[in-house]
Amino acid sequence: MCKKFGNKKLGFGLMRLPQNKTDKKDLSEDKVNFEEVSKMVDYFLENGFNYFDTAHGYHCGLSEIAVKNCLTSRHKREEYILTNKLTAPYFNNQEEIYKFFNEQLKICGVEYFDNYLIHSVSKNNYKKFLDCKAFESLVDLKNKGLIKHIGMSFHDSPELLDEILKAHPELEMVQIQFNYIDFEDEKIKAKENYEVIRKYNKDIIVMEPVKGGKLTNLPKEAENIFSELSNFSPASYAIRYAASFDGVKMVLSGMSSFEQMKDNMTFMTNFEKLEEKDYKVIEKVVKILKNIDQVPCTFCEYCLEGCPKNIFIPKLIELYNSHLIYPEADYSHDYELATRSSGKAGDCIKCKKCEKICPQQIYITQVLEKISSEFEN
């Protein structure tokens, strides 16, 4: 067994765990259903899968607690592979990195992590990781046996990725967002990032293979194309698409129910790469999704300057566009998260400062009216 990635190519991403039903609106009161998670963990291991991925911020801190309650306190250490992450908001200097890391070990109930990643690296936080000597700290912890393998998860441009991998050959793996709708996306640049990682011969971990569940809730026309090909679910094509690429060692699935886990196992227990006919069908689905008329926002964020209601306009437009593509998906949780510390679309006073500066000449106030009608009523 490879201790870096485990027995099979499907990993349990502990980011969207099953929840207890609650009427509380405060998302900090988010409650994980530990009984259901334990059932899923047991089933996952019983069927030969053993890779688990968490981070301190997932589920407002409850993901790591679920690791201890549902996995590490109930199973032998050699039975599973556990990946955790160093997240920028939780430290301000190198000393705090060590303190944070030791706290994570304690919370998760382990003496070491199989993999430990510098989390969600981008142009916004890379300098902080450098200034706080995060890369050196991980190497030190690895030398002490507290980490077996080190890497990073990444959300930015292929140019920055190339710069980082050139400067830090000690990194063994990179975790990236990768799926068939983002493969040639101009913002995500999944294809280009994949090619950079291959250039440096690093192992690849895939996150968001079903784009947060969006590629499991397709427009009917796209769903019918898959159903005509086989009895496999839309999720199967998305996950197998990512897993079929050379260099991809692990594909994470944020399974939030026992039923989702069982479905994933139907096609990943004995994984087989996609065939030519599968790729042709996926191309048709991509065309359907791309042809849906969306708001042409490029996420430049110029519109944020001077908004009197502090509305995070690009993020709300992004959610609205996702709704247009995947009308059957529930975005209420995403919308509440996106407006937790900023204004809602309905708060807009139509001053139109955003429209005067928008390079795409979008009638933003009209779009915000539609967003408010869709997500707030």
Side-chain angles (χ1 to χ4, degrees), residues 10 12 40-49 51-52 265:
L10 177 71
F12 192 171
M40 294 170 69
V41 165
D42 293 348
Y43 189 76
F44 195 68
L45 291 169
E46 288 167 4
N47 283 272
F49 299 84
Y51 188 98
F52 297 85
M265 288 182 179

Side-chain angles (χ1 to χ4, degrees), residues 83-333:
T83 295
N84 209 332
K85 307 180 186 76
L86 176 66
T87 311
Y90 299 109
F91 65 89
N92 291 299
N93 54 56
Q94 188 176 26
E95 182 180 351
E96 290 182 0
I97 288 177
Y98 286 97
K99 182 179 179 181
F100 175 68
F101 177 83
N102 288 325
E103 186 66 18
Q104 286 181 293
L105 288 177
K106 181 179 178 181
I107 295 172
C108 292
V110 293
E111 296 181 350
Y112 66 89
F113 292 117
D114 297 284
N115 303 315
Y116 196 74
L117 312 179
I118 296 179
H119 191 195
S120 195
V121 180
S122 71
K123 62 180 180 296
N124 297 321
N125 59 29
Y126 180 45
K127 186 177 185 301
K128 179 177 182 178
F129 285 122
L130 290 177
D131 291 344
C132 294
K133 299 186 182 301
F135 294 89
E136 293 91 334
S137 300
L138 265 61
V139 171
D140 179 48
L141 290 166
K142 180 182 177 182
N143 291 336
K144 292 176 178 177
L146 299 174
I147 299 172
K148 302 302 181 183
H149 305 281
I150 62 176
M152 70 173 176
S153 65
F154 184 80
H155 288 280
D156 214 298
S157 69
E159 292 78 17
L160 179 61
L161 179 57
D162 189 90
E163 175 186 337
I164 295 173
L165 292 181
K166 183 178 181 179
H168 299 282
E170 67 273 19
L171 296 175
E172 303 171 62
M173 63 192 76
V174 183
Q175 186 166 303
I176 57 169
Q177 179 170 325
F178 192 90
N179 55 66
Y180 63 72
I181 197 64
D182 288 333
F183 186 64
E184 295 185 352
D185 184 88
E186 293 183 359
K187 185 175 70 175
I188 303 298
K189 297 185 182 297
K191 178 183 178 181
E192 291 93 332
N193 283 331
Y194 166 81
E195 291 171 346
V196 170
I197 302 170
R198 291 293 290 164
K199 169 185 170 183
Y200 286 93
N201 197 31
K202 305 295 183 180
D203 293 326
I204 300 171
I205 306 168
V206 168
M207 56 183 162
E208 303 291 359
V210 294
K211 204 172 174 65
K214 309 302 188 296
L215 297 183
T216 67
N217 296 286
L218 299 171
K220 201 65 180 177
E221 182 183 0
E223 189 176 295
N224 289 340
I225 290 176
F226 280 137
S227 63
E228 289 172 4
L229 181 63
S230 73
N231 293 324
F232 283 127
S233 66
S236 76
Y237 290 96
I239 292 175
R240 286 189 296 143
Y241 176 88
S244 293
F245 278 78
D246 293 337
V248 172
K249 302 297 184 181
M250 182 59 56
V251 178
L252 300 176
S253 179
M255 297 169 279
S256 56
S257 71
F258 190 72
E259 289 68 29
Q260 289 178 7
M261 176 169 283
K262 288 196 295 184
D263 176 64
N264 284 184
M265 288 182 179
T266 60
F267 52 85
M268 290 302 289
T269 297
N270 298 302
F271 167 69
E272 295 182 359
K273 289 187 176 183
L274 293 181
E275 300 176 1
E276 186 62 31
K277 61 182 177 62
D278 300 313
Y279 287 110
K280 289 181 178 179
V281 166
I282 288 174
E283 286 177 9
K284 294 179 181 179
V285 171
V286 169
K287 286 181 180 179
I288 292 172
L289 298 180
K290 295 291 187 182
N291 285 334
I292 295 174
D293 187 26
Q294 301 177 65
V295 181
C297 175
T298 61
F299 223 94
C300 69
E301 301 188 357
Y302 294 166
C303 57
L304 300 182
E305 184 178 348
C307 175
K309 291 299 182 178
N310 189 33
I311 301 172
F312 194 179
I313 297 167
K315 182 62 179 178
L316 301 192
I317 291 178
E318 181 182 47
L319 283 174
Y320 182 67
N321 281 338
S322 294
H323 163 71
L324 296 176
I325 298 175
Y326 316 105
E328 297 178 6
D330 181 5
Y331 289 91
S332 57
H333 181 72

